[in-house]
Amino acid sequence: VPGVPGVPGVPGVPGGMPMMGMPGPMPGGMPGGMSMVPPAGGPEVAAAAAAAAAQVQQQGGKDGEDKGKGRKGGGGRGKGGGKGKGWGKGGGMKGKWKFVRFRKELTPEEIEERRKANAERHSARIEKEERKVLTEEFIEGEVVQRAKWHAWLKPKDPEQIPVECREALKEMNAAFRAKVTDGRAFCGGIETDVIYLAVADIKEDGLVLRSGLPVKFKVYSDNKGIGACEVVSGEPAPAAPAAPIAAAAPA
C-alpha cells in the first residue's frame, strides 16, 4: 500500500505513513479493508494535530471577518463565517456622520434686495387675486396658530367682522375643518371662525407671531376667500389688579 504524504505544519506526523488493511466493515458505514494507523507519538501528537486544526479554522474565521469590514462591505459575511461591521449600508456607523451645509451669511444689501423681490411678488399676487380691503379701522384679535408661511387670527369681537364677508368666512372655516384628518382638530378645535393671514401681510417690521400674541389687523376679500392684512402689534391684555393686603389685626 503506498504511503500518504505528510501533513505540513503538524509536528509528529511524518510523510509516507503506511496504511494498514483491516478486514470487515468500519464503524459508521465506511467500507472495510482500510483504516488509518494513529500517528506515531501517542496522544500528545493527536492533541497537537487537533490544536493545529482548530487554529487553522479560527484563522479562516478571521479572514472572513476582515473581508466583511470596510466602507462598502459593512455587514457582509466573510468566507470563514465572520461578520463585518463597517461603514456600509449594514454597518454600525450608519447615520452617525452627517455633513451640514451652512448657509452663507447675507450682507445688508442682499437682505434688502430679497425684501424688495418678495414685496414685488406679493404685490403681483394681490393684483392677481383681486384683493379688496373691507375695513378702514383696525380690528383687535390674537394669534391662534402659527405655521411657517401663514397664521390664523381670532377677532376679539366677531361683530367687528364686516357683515358682507361673514358668510364667506364661515364657509372657509367649515371647509378647513372638513379637511382635517388623523384625529386632529383645526386650530386646536376652536369653534370661533378664524381669519387667514399670510406672513407677507405683516406690516410691522420685526413682528414675530406666536400663539396668544395680541395683534391688530384689517380684513380683505379676494377670489380665494377672506384674510387679514396690515398686521401690527396689538394692545397687551391688562394685568389683573393685585389683591388688597389685609390690615394687621391690633395686638
Side-chain angles (χ1 to χ4, degrees):
V1 180
V4 178
V7 181
V10 181
V13 184
M17 181 175 294
M19 303 286 294
M20 292 185 63
M22 296 292 292
M26 294 288 294
M30 295 181 60
M34 296 185 69
S35 66
M36 291 292 297
V37 177
E44 293 80 2
V45 176
Q55 184 178 5
V56 172
Q57 184 178 2
Q58 183 177 1
Q59 185 64 35
K62 283 190 175 182
D63 292 341
E65 184 176 358
D66 292 339
K67 291 181 180 179
K69 292 183 179 180
R71 292 180 180 271
K72 293 184 179 179
R77 291 179 178 268
K79 292 183 179 179
K83 293 184 179 180
K85 297 181 180 179
W87 294 348
K89 291 185 178 180
M93 298 299 292
K94 180 179 180 181
K96 292 188 178 181
W97 294 96
K98 295 183 180 179
F99 297 93
V100 181
R101 180 178 296 177
F102 293 95
R103 293 184 178 180
K104 178 184 176 182
E105 186 175 356
L106 300 177
T107 62
E109 293 77 11
E110 291 174 336
I111 295 176
E112 186 62 27
E113 289 179 1
R114 288 197 175 187
R115 286 181 178 177
K116 289 182 179 180
N118 292 336
E120 291 175 0
R121 285 195 296 267
H122 189 57
S123 298
R125 189 180 69 176
I126 289 175
E127 184 177 356
K128 181 180 179 180
E129 295 175 353
E130 302 175 352
R131 176 179 296 190
K132 180 182 178 182
V133 179
L134 303 178
T135 57
E136 295 182 359
E137 301 294 331
F138 282 100
I139 298 175
E140 293 185 359
E142 68 176 38
V143 179
V144 176
Q145 193 176 74
R146 164 71 194 272
K148 186 175 182 180
W149 300 111
H150 70 275
W152 294 96
L153 309 182
K154 178 182 70 173
K156 186 176 181 180
D157 182 8
E159 296 297 325
Q160 289 185 300
I161 303 299
V163 178
E164 61 267 29
C165 70
R166 291 181 187 175
E167 188 63 28
L169 181 63
K170 184 177 181 179
E171 293 177 358
M172 186 176 72
N173 276 257
F176 275 101
R177 290 188 178 99
K179 290 180 181 179
V180 176
T181 57
D182 300 333
R184 297 176 298 174
F186 174 63
C187 285
I190 189 172
E191 297 181 358
T192 306
D193 291 336
V194 291
I195 301 177
Y196 173 84
L197 166 66
V199 173
D201 280 312
I202 298 176
K203 183 178 181 180
E204 182 179 331
D205 292 337
L207 179 61
V208 179
L209 302 182
R210 66 178 186 277
S211 180
L213 180 72
V215 292
K216 294 180 180 180
F217 59 92
K218 294 182 180 180
V219 177
Y220 70 85
S221 66
D222 58 17
N223 53 25
K224 289 190 174 181
I226 309 300
C229 61
E230 301 184 30
V231 178
V232 296
S233 299
E235 299 294 333
I245 301 175

